[in-house]
């Protein structure tokens, strides 16, 4: 699974170029969007909820997690108008990192609005990840695929853009297989996230600005 991905030919894009290209492709009649999220430590500078979380203000972080509800609702409404169903698979390692713990409260807002998100325990794909982790990708139909890349500090730094149809199809099939193995968001959230004690402030802990 994902065997061809490491050797795929891609074009490196900085963040502004990636966002512009993504927007153009997204509205071109792609059919679907699939997102596979693998990283466990990120930074989300500029996202008020993450900023509060990073400084240890957990109560405020949870309150601010609602801040983008209207934006998410508009995003999903636009997707429906374009006929572009979204699916996201969030791979989670154990023990759960403070970042992932925080992220799940943000993702819950999206799921409450109808976003289709499943969760996959990383221990269940150890056989697939013997040589490398599954790729962190956003797939837009069979038109384009982006591998999101980060700097050494965990900040989003753009993406590698792939357009080879065979590679995109192979990666999409891999995503579909893993997605079928995934657990429903609420079941995982209630069992694994809710019981956790509030995390401490992170300081230099590491997100993906705009990813949520």
């Amino acid at each position: 699974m994902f065997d061809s991905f490491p050797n795929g030919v891609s074009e490196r894009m900085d963040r502004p170029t990636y966002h512009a290209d993504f927007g153009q492709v997204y509205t071109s009649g792609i059919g679907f969007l699939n997102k596979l999220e693998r990283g466990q430590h990120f930074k989300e500078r500029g996202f008020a909820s993450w900023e509060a979380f990073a400084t240890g203000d957990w109560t405020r972080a949870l309150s601010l997690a609602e801040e983008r509800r209207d934006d998410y609702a508009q995003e999903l409404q636009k997707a429906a108008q374009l006929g572009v169903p979204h699916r996201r698979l969030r791979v989670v390692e154990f023990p759960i990192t403070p970042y992932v713990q925080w992220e799940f409260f943000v993702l819950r807002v999206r799921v409450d609005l109808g976003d289709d998100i499943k969760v996959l325990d990383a221990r269940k794909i150890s056989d697939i990840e013997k040589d490398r982790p599954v790729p962190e990708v956003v797939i837009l139909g069979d038109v384009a695929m982006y591998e999101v890349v980060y700097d050494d500090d965990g900040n989003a730094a753009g993406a590698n853009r792939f357009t080879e149809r065979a590679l995109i199809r192979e990666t999409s099939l891999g995503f579909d297989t893993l997605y079928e193995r995934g657990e429903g968001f609420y079941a995982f959230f209630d069992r694994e996230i809710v019981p956790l004690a509030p995390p401490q402030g992170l300081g230099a802990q590491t997100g993906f600005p705009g990813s949520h």
Side-chain angles (χ1 to χ4, degrees):
M1 191 180 298
F2 307 113
D3 292 340
S4 300
F5 189 87
N7 299 317
V9 177
S10 64
E11 174 189 359
R12 178 62 182 271
M13 294 180 164
D14 60 21
R15 284 188 65 198
T17 305
Y18 162 48
H19 290 161
D21 189 77
F22 180 98
Q24 183 175 6
V25 176
Y26 182 81
T27 57
S28 66
I30 56 173
F32 64 85
L33 180 154
N34 291 333
K35 179 176 182 179
L36 178 55
E37 188 176 16
R38 181 62 180 83
Q40 307 296 301
H41 303 278
F42 295 118
K43 286 185 175 175
E44 305 250 11
R45 290 194 178 98
F47 189 168
S49 177
W50 182 86
E51 298 284 0
F53 150 70
T55 59
D57 193 343
W58 185 241
T59 300
R60 180 167 171 76
L62 295 188
S63 176
L64 290 170
E66 295 281 335
E67 68 179 357
R68 292 188 177 175
R69 180 173 288 269
D70 289 344
D71 292 337
Y72 297 154
Q74 292 176 17
E75 177 186 320
L76 293 172
Q77 182 180 22
K78 178 180 179 181
Q81 291 171 344
L82 291 171
V84 181
H86 289 197
R87 292 187 300 167
R88 181 194 297 228
L89 182 62
R90 202 355 165 163
V91 178
V92 177
E93 294 180 5
F94 286 81
I96 293 170
T97 65
Y99 172 82
V100 170
Q101 181 183 353
W102 164 80
E103 181 192 31
F104 265 75
F105 284 92
V106 178
L107 294 179
R108 183 180 64 170
V109 177
R110 302 190 67 111
V111 176
D112 287 348
L113 293 167
D115 212 354
D116 193 351
I117 301 176
K118 284 189 175 183
V119 187
L120 185 61
D121 185 336
R123 294 172 295 193
K124 295 183 177 180
I125 56 172
S126 58
D127 57 326
I128 298 172
E129 296 192 319
K130 287 180 179 178
D131 297 322
R132 66 187 68 85
V134 296
E136 185 114 5
V137 291
V138 181
I139 306 169
L140 300 186
D142 62 356
V143 180
M145 177 171 66
Y146 305 92
E147 178 188 21
V148 183
V149 296
Y150 306 91
D151 63 23
D152 292 338
D153 199 30
N155 300 293
N160 295 319
R161 184 184 197 268
F162 300 83
T163 57
E164 183 184 350
R165 295 294 176 92
L167 179 63
I168 295 174
R169 285 195 296 270
E170 179 184 312
T171 309
S172 291
L173 287 173
F175 175 92
D176 290 343
T177 299
L178 295 186
Y179 194 81
E180 287 302 313
R181 298 187 190 180
E183 180 178 7
F185 181 88
Y186 289 123
F188 184 92
F189 181 86
D190 291 343
R191 186 184 68 250
E192 303 290 352
I193 302 298
V194 172
L196 295 176
Q200 302 301 310
L202 301 183
Q205 185 80 17
T206 69
F208 180 5
S211 65
H212 302 102

